[in-house]
Amino acid sequence: MRWALEDGWTLTGRYLAQLARRPARLAGVVAFPILMVLIFAYLLGGGMSVPGGGSYQEFLMPGMFAMTMAFGLSGTMIAVLDDTGKGVTDRFRSLPMAPSAVFTGRVAADLVNAVLALAVLVGCGFAVGWRPHGSLGETLAALGLLLLLRTALVWAGIYLGLLTSDPAMVSLVQTLEFPFGFLSGAFVATSTMPAWLGTVAEWNPLSSTVTAARVLFGNPGAAGTSWVSTHAVPMAVVWPLVLLAVFVPLTVRRYRRLGN
C-alpha cells in the first residue's frame, strides 16, 4: 500500500507539472465555462423562466458546475491518448511501479484541476448574482457531489483513452458531451420539455447531480414530481458509484491487456 501511494503521489506531481507547463490548456479549462455562464446569464437568460419563480442565474449555476465536471471526460481522454501515443504508458508498464499509480495519479491530478475550475466558477457565479442559501455543510456536500461525478467521469475518460488510439474519437466524445449536458436539467427545467423527453432528461445522471446541488444550495428550480427528481440527492451518489463500478474494472482490465 505504501509503495502504491508513493507511486501515485509521484505521478500526480507529473500530471500537475504537465498542466502547469501548458497554460493554454489550463486557460481553456477555466475560460470556456466562464464564457458559457456569460452567454446563458446575459444573452439567453432573459428568455428563460424558472418554474415556481426565482432568479435564472441561481437556477443556472448548479447546471454550469455540473457541466464543467462533465467536460473532464474528454480532457482526460486527450491526456491518456497523448501518453499512449508518445509511448509513455508502455514505459510505465515496464517500470517496477504499482500499476494502480497510473490511475490514481491521473484521478488525483484531475480532481485538483476540477477544484480549481469550480473555484473560478463559484467566483463567476457570485459576480452574476448566484448565491448558495444552504448551510455551510450543505454547500460543501453539493460541491462534494459535483466532484464525485467528476471522479466517475474521469475513470470513463481513462478507459476510453486506453480503448482507442484514434484522435478522431476525442472529437466524437466531445460532440456527445453537449447532448449529454443539454439533455438534462442543467439549463432549462425538465417540466418545460415534452413529457417523454423530460423523462429521459430526468434520468440523465447529470440531472440528478444538478438537482441535488440546487436542493443543497437552496437555489430555485429543484422541485420535481418524478421519483428520480424527488430522490435527487441519493441518486447523485448512486449514479457515480454505478459508473465507477463499471469503468474501474474495465479500465484495469484494458490496461493489463495493452500490447496484447
Side-chain angles (χ1 to χ4, degrees):
M1 179 62 71
R2 180 182 176 184
W3 178 35
L5 290 175
E6 288 177 350
D7 288 347
W9 177 255
T10 300
L11 287 188
T12 299
R14 172 186 179 265
Y15 298 137
L16 290 176
Q18 284 182 321
L19 185 63
R21 291 168 185 165
R22 297 176 180 176
R25 179 177 293 182
L26 180 60
V29 168
V30 173
F32 182 71
I34 292 176
L35 181 61
M36 291 284 287
V37 169
L38 296 178
I39 289 173
F40 276 89
Y42 295 114
L43 295 181
L44 304 178
M48 302 290 189
S49 61
V50 180
S55 165
Y56 179 70
Q57 281 82 352
E58 292 203 342
F59 174 88
L60 170 68
M61 289 311 300
M64 283 306 311
F65 296 151
M67 276 293 291
T68 303
M69 298 301 99
F71 290 144
L73 192 154
S74 61
T76 299
M77 186 178 176
I78 292 170
V80 173
L81 271 174
D82 188 46
D83 278 351
T84 302
K86 293 178 179 178
V88 176
T89 302
D90 288 335
R91 180 61 176 161
F92 284 157
R93 295 178 70 240
S94 69
L95 290 173
M97 58 181 287
S100 62
V102 178
F103 312 127
T104 56
R106 175 72 64 189
V107 172
D110 187 89
L111 285 179
V112 173
N113 185 19
V115 169
L116 175 61
L118 267 181
V120 172
L121 268 185
V122 166
C124 182
F126 274 98
V128 301
W130 171 80
R131 297 290 185 275
H133 302 288
S135 65
L136 177 60
E138 289 171 329
T139 299
L140 293 177
L143 296 175
L145 290 177
L146 290 164
L147 293 174
L148 178 62
L149 177 67
R150 175 67 166 236
T151 302
L153 293 176
V154 165
W155 277 97
I158 295 173
Y159 174 68
L160 293 174
L162 295 174
L163 191 64
T164 181
S165 59
D166 185 2
M169 288 298 295
V170 176
S171 298
L172 176 61
V173 171
Q174 288 175 326
T175 301
L176 294 176
E177 280 178 336
F178 284 92
F180 175 69
F182 282 97
L183 187 56
S184 70
F187 302 107
V188 296
T190 56
S191 60
T192 64
M193 303 177 185
W196 66 271
L197 190 62
T199 300
V200 172
E202 288 178 354
W203 281 92
N204 183 336
L206 192 71
S207 291
S208 294
T209 299
V210 172
T211 303
R214 288 183 181 132
V215 169
L216 294 169
F217 285 138
N219 294 148
T225 57
S226 67
W227 184 90
V228 71
S229 293
T230 56
H231 296 81
V233 174
M235 288 304 297
V237 176
V238 170
W239 280 122
L241 292 181
V242 169
L243 292 173
L244 288 170
V246 171
F247 284 106
V248 169
L250 284 176
T251 300
V252 172
R253 185 172 67 175
R254 178 61 185 171
Y255 182 75
R256 288 174 176 171
R257 293 182 176 182
L258 285 177
N260 296 335

